Amino acid sequence: MPGQYYLYTNIRCAGDILKEVKNTFLIAGTFIATVIGAGFASGQEILSYFVVYGKKSIYGLMIVCVLFILCALCVMLRTYKDDINGFDEYMSVVSGTKSRIFIKACIMLFMFASFCSMTAGNGELFFENFKCERFVGAFVMMLVCFVIFLFDLKGILTVNAVLAPIMTISLFVLGLCTFTFRDQTVFANGVFVRLCENYVVSALIYASYNLLTVIVILSEMRPLIIKKSVCYAASTIGGSALFVIALSMWAAIKLYYGKIALSDIPFLTIVSRGGEGVKMFYSIILCFSMLTTAISCGYGVIEWLVSTLKIKKLAAIMILIAASYPVLLLGFTGIVRNVYSIFGYLGLVMIVYILADGVRMMNGK
């Protein structure tokens, strides 16, 4: 029956489109959630890498946006083209054997440190809001991560699908409202150390160390990349959303920078001026941000442990948690100050590899 055939065809096409849209937003959500960790959501990265350079640092944000989109696109296109299932396979394609081993080891170390910093950060957050011991907040974060890890990649995608839109909208609205409904009260000046010499280098470092984690996660997304269009859409949505959030926070922090004393969590200092309710709401969003980054980084380390040591996933999870405890003693600020910028320079090497591979794909290789 011609009518039934056309109806079936239309329903099937509609189903394919819906699946494509769903997968696009799952990948984009995971991309966003991986980047929005404690450093981003707290405003500390926006302050240290951009705001300190004045108005021209907005161009640095634009550079980061372009790099996020291009690098994410190149990674996903290669993953789709070569049917890659994991970071190890991806690195085998884009780099030599010796450099691959070194880079992968460094990235795993960075992801482990990031998992620890998010866990320690949650301890700080609990201490600030509930005046309880820091280990309580760290334990809660580890417990939640443990449960999510048991559900493998599906669990991470589900959590990111739920939390990414909430974080994106909330951080944007908080930044916009803080900028719009500002007051002109002036307090003591805050003093911050610039991490780089100019906003261009600062933007490159910021983008590179964030991409270290993103690359690992996106190289696992082959089951969701059913068409090339998913690569283009997911990278554009993810990178653009991060730019919009960062821009709103940049505007809010820049407004108060040099006018009031800002804490190690500058955005918390700013939004707290709106009252305890706003402070608690932001703290919840910050906790979500730490969780999404922690599970993304932790998952990458777990997969590496499973493939390298040939052990079961549960054993790898237990090793990750046990190894994290000594590092947590450094505290959130100690981990971030001693790790992030160092790995940013390694990330620059990865950006070169990724973009060079993108050029090869353009030439049909």
Side-chain angles (χ1 to χ4, degrees):
M1 299 286 289
Q4 291 179 334
Y5 172 76
Y6 287 123
L7 178 61
Y8 171 77
T9 302
N10 290 335
I11 292 174
R12 186 175 180 180
C13 288
D16 290 342
I17 293 172
L18 286 175
K19 185 176 181 180
E20 185 178 339
V21 171
K22 176 187 174 183
N23 289 1
T24 295
F25 279 97
L26 277 174
I27 296 172
T30 301
F31 181 7
I32 295 167
T34 300
V35 174
I36 301 181
F40 186 108
S42 69
Q44 186 57 252
E45 290 178 342
I46 303 298
L47 169 65
S48 300
Y49 286 89
F50 302 100
V51 174
V52 294
Y53 298 105
K55 291 182 179 179
K56 61 185 179 182
S57 62
I58 193 172
Y59 298 117
L61 287 176
M62 292 178 183
I63 291 171
V64 170
C65 176
V66 171
L67 285 174
F68 276 170
I69 292 173
L70 286 179
C71 289
L73 176 61
C74 289
V75 172
M76 286 190 285
L77 284 176
R78 176 59 72 185
T79 299
Y80 176 75
K81 184 175 183 293
D82 287 21
D83 198 24
I84 289 171
N85 289 291
F87 180 67
D88 196 42
E89 289 184 32
Y90 176 76
M91 287 302 299
S92 297
V93 174
V94 301
S95 67
T97 303
K98 292 183 179 179
S99 60
R100 183 186 81 218
I101 295 172
F102 173 73
I103 290 172
K104 186 174 181 181
C106 289
I107 290 178
M108 288 304 116
L109 181 60
F110 173 73
M111 294 183 77
F112 171 70
S114 295
F115 174 79
C116 293
S117 69
M118 297 304 107
T119 305
N122 199 59
E124 291 290 338
L125 199 58
F126 268 57
F127 176 76
E128 287 288 333
N129 285 282
F130 307 115
K131 305 305 177 185
C132 60
E133 294 294 332
R134 289 176 174 82
F135 80 86
V136 175
F139 175 78
V140 170
M141 176 65 79
M142 281 193 173
L143 182 61
V144 174
C145 288
F146 176 80
V147 174
I148 295 171
F149 289 148
L150 293 178
F151 291 92
D152 207 49
L153 185 60
K154 184 179 180 181
I156 295 174
L157 291 173
T158 301
V159 171
N160 287 337
V162 174
L163 296 185
I166 296 173
M167 293 187 300
T168 300
I169 296 170
S170 298
L171 289 174
F172 172 71
V173 170
L174 283 169
L176 186 62
C177 289
T178 301
F179 178 79
T180 305
F181 302 106
R182 60 192 181 274
D183 59 49
Q184 300 300 321
T185 306
V186 178
F187 296 85
N189 289 332
V191 179
F192 298 94
V193 179
R194 298 189 180 191
L195 300 179
C196 306
E197 295 181 356
N198 60 75
Y199 72 90
V200 176
V201 175
S202 186
L204 291 174
I205 296 298
Y206 173 76
S208 63
Y209 78 69
N210 274 290
L211 282 168
L212 288 177
T213 308
V214 171
I215 295 163
V216 177
I217 298 301
L218 291 183
S219 62
E220 300 277 349
M221 294 294 167
R222 180 61 185 91
L224 297 178
I225 305 174
I226 54 178
K227 289 184 179 179
K228 271 189 178 182
S229 56
V230 172
C231 303
Y232 289 98
S235 58
T236 302
I237 292 171
S240 299
L242 287 167
F243 173 73
V244 170
I245 301 167
L247 183 61
S248 67
M249 294 179 70
W250 175 87
I253 296 171
K254 186 178 182 302
L255 184 68
Y256 289 98
Y257 177 60
K259 295 180 180 179
I260 66 173
L262 299 175
S263 67
D264 284 344
I265 306 179
F267 205 56
L268 178 62
T269 304
I270 293 170
V271 300
S272 294
R273 295 160 68 88
E276 285 299 316
V278 178
K279 178 183 177 182
M280 184 56 67
F281 174 72
Y282 168 71
S283 295
I284 293 171
I285 298 303
L286 183 55
C287 184
F288 287 166
S289 303
M290 292 177 182
L291 174 62
T292 54
T293 298
I295 59 176
S296 294
C297 293
Y299 178 78
V301 176
I302 290 167
E303 287 296 300
W304 177 74
L305 288 172
V306 170
S307 62
T308 304
L309 302 180
K310 307 301 179 184
I311 58 177
K312 292 184 178 180
K313 186 151 292 184
L314 182 59
I317 294 172
M318 298 308 296
I319 290 174
L320 170 65
I321 293 175
S324 300
Y325 179 74
V327 184
L328 293 178
L329 298 177
L330 290 173
F332 173 63
T333 303
I335 296 171
V336 173
R337 285 179 179 173
N338 291 296
V339 173
Y340 279 35
S341 294
I342 296 173
F343 282 95
Y345 292 98
L346 171 67
L348 291 176
V349 177
M350 278 305 304
I351 287 178
V352 172
Y353 274 124
I354 293 167
L355 296 181
D357 185 56
V359 173
R360 286 198 295 270
M361 283 189 285
M362 288 176 62
N363 294 327
K365 297 181 181 179

